[in-house]
Structure formats: C-alpha cells, structure tokens
Amino acid sequence: MVNLKFGIELVPDRAISTLVEYAIIAEQNGLDSIWVTDHYCNRTVYIALTMMAIKTSKITLGVGVTNPYVIHPAWTAAAVATLDEVSGGRAILGIGSGDKATLEAIGIERKKPLTAVREAVTVIRRLLAGEVVNFEGEFFKLKGARLNFKPSRAIPIYIGAQAPKMLQLAGQLGDGVLINASHPKDFEKAIPLIKKGAEAAGKDFSKIDIVAYTCFSVAPDSKKAKDAARLVVAFIVAGAPDTLLKERGIDLGKVSTIREALAKGDFKKAAENVDDLMLDYFSISGSPDECIEKLRELIKAGITHIVMGSPLGPKKKEALALIGEIVKKLRS
Ligand code: F42
C-alpha cells in the first residue's frame, strides 16, 4: 500500500477562507491531494486553489472537475499553468463532461460529451507542452494558438468518468481517472474499461492513477456520520440509472419518493428516504473503523488513490482530523 494516495474533495460553497483552513489541516494530516469542485454557482475554483497554494507547501491541488462547455480549453490550459506556477509545481487538472443539470441551468446543452472532452484534453495537453496549436475539431478550432509561458513540468490531466465510453476515453487520454463511486463493484466494472482504453492507445495501464472519488462521512458516532451522508446520497441515487439501482436491489419506490422530494426542494424528506442499502452502496460512511473496512475493500478492488468527498462528516474539522488518523492506519 506504499504508493497509495489519499485526498479530499472540497466544495467552494462556503467562504474561501474556510476552505483554506481545511486545506491547511489536510496537508498537516499528511494527505496527498485536494480537489476543488467546479460549478458556475459556487465560488470560483481557481481563486480557491490559488489561495490554498499560497497557504500550503506540499499538497497537490486539483480542479475536480472543470468541463469544456463553460470554459474554453485554451483558458483552462492557461489557468492550470498559472496555478502550477503559483503553487511551485503542485497543480493537477481534472476535466469531465460537466454536470448535466448544472449546465442546463445556464442554457448549455451537454452535446456529444465524449467528443467535447476528447478535443478539450487534446488541445490543453498541446498548449501545456508549449506547442503552437492548429486544431480543427467539431467543438474547438485553434489557429496558431500558443501560451506565452510554459509550465516547468507536464501537468497531469485526470478525466472524471463513470459511464463505459468515458471510462475508456479516460484510459486512452488521461494520466488519471476520477471515478465518482464508493462501492467495490463499481470499480470492478470500471477498471477493465480504463485498461481497455489504455491498451487501445498503446499506453502502460499501470501508470494511470485510478481514483475513487467517494461520498465520504466519518464521525465517532456511526449514526451521526451516516445521517450526514443521507442528503448527498439522495442526490446520487436520484441521478443514478434505474438499471443500476435495480441490479443493486434498491427499492425503486423509495427512489421515486426521493426524486419527487428533491424536485420540490424538500431535502428533509429526500434524506429520510435514503435507507442503509443506499448508504452502503453510494457512500463510505460511519465510524472510523467502519470507514477503514470499506476503504480496504476499495483498495483490494484495484484503485490507487482515494479522494474522500462530500460531506466528509457532520463536523468538517473533526472529520479532517479523523481522516488523518484513518490515512495513517491505512498506510501502516
Ligand atoms: N461535474 C461538474 O460539473 N463539476 C464537478 O466539480 C464535478 C466533479 C466530478 C468529480 C469526479 C467525477 O467523476 C465527476 C465529476 N463531475 C463534476 C461530473 C462530470 O462532469 C460528469 O457529469 C460525469 O462524470 C458523468 O459523465 P460520464 O462519465 O458518466 O459520461 C456521460 C456523459 C455519458 O453518458 N457517457 C456515455 C458513455 O458511455 O461514456 C455515453 C456518451 C456518448 O456516447 N456520447 C456520444 C458522444 O459523442 O459524446 C454521443 C451522444 C450524443 O449526444 O450524440
């Protein structure tokens, strides 16, 4: 387990000064990476990451994830190169197709996500390598475009992926894959697809960082930790395909109640309808020992990097301290 990496996801839905405090604690607790989510409605991801870069010194800082619909890939290349400069070579880029509902809220249709992500990653990589880029894609057209500055290293590009074709694309093009899932069965399905993509591109699969980007909640009291995860799990369940839910034996009646409650903004009712099976499948939540047991199962399934995502726990700072202890135990 020596090469295993651990990180956290932070959502800029609160003051950046608070997120910076969390980032400092994460670094002090020996974590390897921080990923900041990107949605138009939250605080701007690059400002959050820049502030973290100033106040930390070792931890890697990732955009987790941006998308090619809201932000042009040339802009993303310049932004991530700037973050790399400010952080002394600690930037990582996560890119995906973007959250469908969030894009729709600002009038963007998520057309041809595979093509959009493929073109964006290609353009970003070439610009970061200092190339003069001429590119004639379906989404992006660049004519003699280049950055006026070049990062001192190859900045790793991770692709956010869950669905089969995106997982293969991630294997083909990515230095890493961010898989938004919490159950070993999902990774057992996903990893062969990533491998297939890597092999088709003649890449060494063992060099790809396979990241479990989990819904995580820990507290000394197992029930409190699980209760804190219920609303996040409600959103995951609501967005999951019915075929997957059926396969896992999840009660589709409860799922439709959750979907209706969320549509009406009744978060309490949505959370109350999340049962233990849903929690078990879509989150890692509970006491530190329960979380360790589930994390060990993910490690066995073949992942190389665990990102502990929202909500982290009912009390964030307490959760960050517990995560530090969990990581120490898993590394020993
Ligand atoms: N989304 C955000 O907006 N912000 C975030 O901060 C964020 C973080 C994040 C972290 C990890 C992670 O894994 C995902 C994250 N996401 C975030 C969500 C991400 O942006 C995507 O919404 C999510 O990963 C879903 O993508 P997916 O991998 O499931 O792929 C979808 C789009 C899909 O359905 N793909 C299918 C597949 O098999 O891969 C098929 C798509 C397909 O075939 N499309 C064709 C094409 O060319 O693209 C044609 C379709 C057409 O329209 O004609």
Side-chain angles (χ1 to χ4, degrees):
M1 286 183 200
V2 183
N3 293 323
L4 197 63
K5 285 181 268 181
F6 296 92
I8 52 163
E9 172 207 63
L10 293 174
V11 181
D13 59 356
R14 58 201 67 206
I16 288 179
S17 54
T18 307
L19 294 190
V20 171
E21 271 184 64
Y22 298 160
I24 293 168
I25 299 173
E27 178 167 272
Q28 284 167 350
N29 285 340
L31 271 80
D32 303 287
S33 63
I34 294 171
W35 300 82
V36 179
T37 59
D38 185 13
H39 298 93
Y40 80 89
C41 45
N42 284 332
R43 289 158 184 82
T44 307
V45 60
Y46 293 102
I47 296 180
L49 287 163
T50 303
M51 295 296 288
M52 289 175 193
I54 293 165
K55 295 287 184 182
T56 57
S57 58
K58 294 194 297 278
I59 201 157
T60 52
L61 297 165
V63 183
V65 301
T66 192
N67 71 77
Y69 295 99
V70 179
I71 312 280
H72 191 286
W75 197 97
T76 295
V80 75
T82 308
L83 178 66
D84 203 59
E85 186 177 280
V86 172
S87 64
R90 291 185 285 136
I92 335 171
L93 174 64
I95 184 163
S97 55
D99 176 58
K100 193 166 178 281
T102 311
L103 292 175
E104 278 169 7
I106 52 170
I108 296 175
E109 192 190 337
R110 196 177 62 178
K111 274 191 209 148
K112 293 199 165 183
L114 293 167
T115 311
V117 171
R118 184 188 296 110
E119 287 186 10
V121 172
T122 305
V123 164
I124 292 167
R125 217 186 267 295
R126 290 178 60 188
L127 286 169
L128 289 176
E131 277 184 46
V132 175
V133 181
N134 290 299
F135 186 85
E136 189 69 24
E138 253 183 80
F139 283 83
F140 303 109
K141 299 188 194 316
L142 287 84
K143 286 184 196 154
R146 67 183 289 267
L147 297 185
N148 288 333
F149 65 113
K150 187 174 175 260
S152 56
R153 65 187 192 116
I155 298 173
I157 302 181
Y158 285 61
I159 298 178
Q162 276 75 244
K165 288 182 191 159
M166 196 64 87
L167 285 161
Q168 287 181 56
L169 182 73
Q172 250 174 46
L173 291 186
D175 299 298
V177 189
L178 302 168
I179 309 163
N180 214 183
S182 303
H183 197 280
K185 282 191 180 144
D186 285 333
F187 297 99
E188 284 158 15
K189 271 193 192 168
I191 292 171
L193 292 165
I194 299 167
K195 199 169 182 185
K196 192 172 163 192
E199 283 170 0
K203 276 171 63 186
D204 180 354
F205 168 74
S206 68
K207 299 228 164 78
I208 299 177
D209 195 12
I210 311 288
V211 188
Y213 206 97
T214 65
C215 163
F216 189 89
S217 180
V218 67
D221 180 330
S222 171
K223 185 178 177 310
K224 284 188 183 157
K226 289 186 171 155
D227 285 346
R230 281 181 207 278
L231 182 58
V232 180
V233 171
F235 277 101
I236 299 172
V237 165
D242 284 355
T243 43
L244 176 78
L245 298 168
K246 256 196 219 157
E247 216 177 278
R248 303 290 172 236
I250 286 169
D251 181 338
L252 291 183
K254 280 189 190 160
V255 173
S256 61
T257 309
I258 290 170
R259 286 181 178 146
E260 279 161 29
L262 287 177
K264 286 185 200 145
D266 188 346
F267 294 158
K268 189 168 173 279
K269 189 168 179 190
E272 279 168 3
N273 275 279
V274 169
D275 61 23
D276 286 350
L277 187 62
M278 296 177 198
L279 275 179
D280 178 55
Y281 195 76
F282 292 107
S283 75
I284 293 179
S285 52
S287 66
D289 284 345
E290 287 172 306
C291 292
I292 287 176
E293 202 185 310
K294 289 195 77 179
L295 291 170
R296 287 210 164 108
E297 288 174 25
L298 295 195
I299 297 163
K300 265 198 231 144
I303 62 107
T304 54
H305 191 154
I306 293 168
V307 173
M308 288 160 260
S310 299
L312 299 180
K315 294 182 188 164
K316 298 258 191 266
K317 285 189 185 165
E318 176 189 72
L320 286 168
L322 293 172
I323 286 171
E325 288 169 25
I326 289 172
V327 168
K328 260 188 219 141
K329 282 195 187 159
L330 287 170
R331 281 196 171 126
S332 63

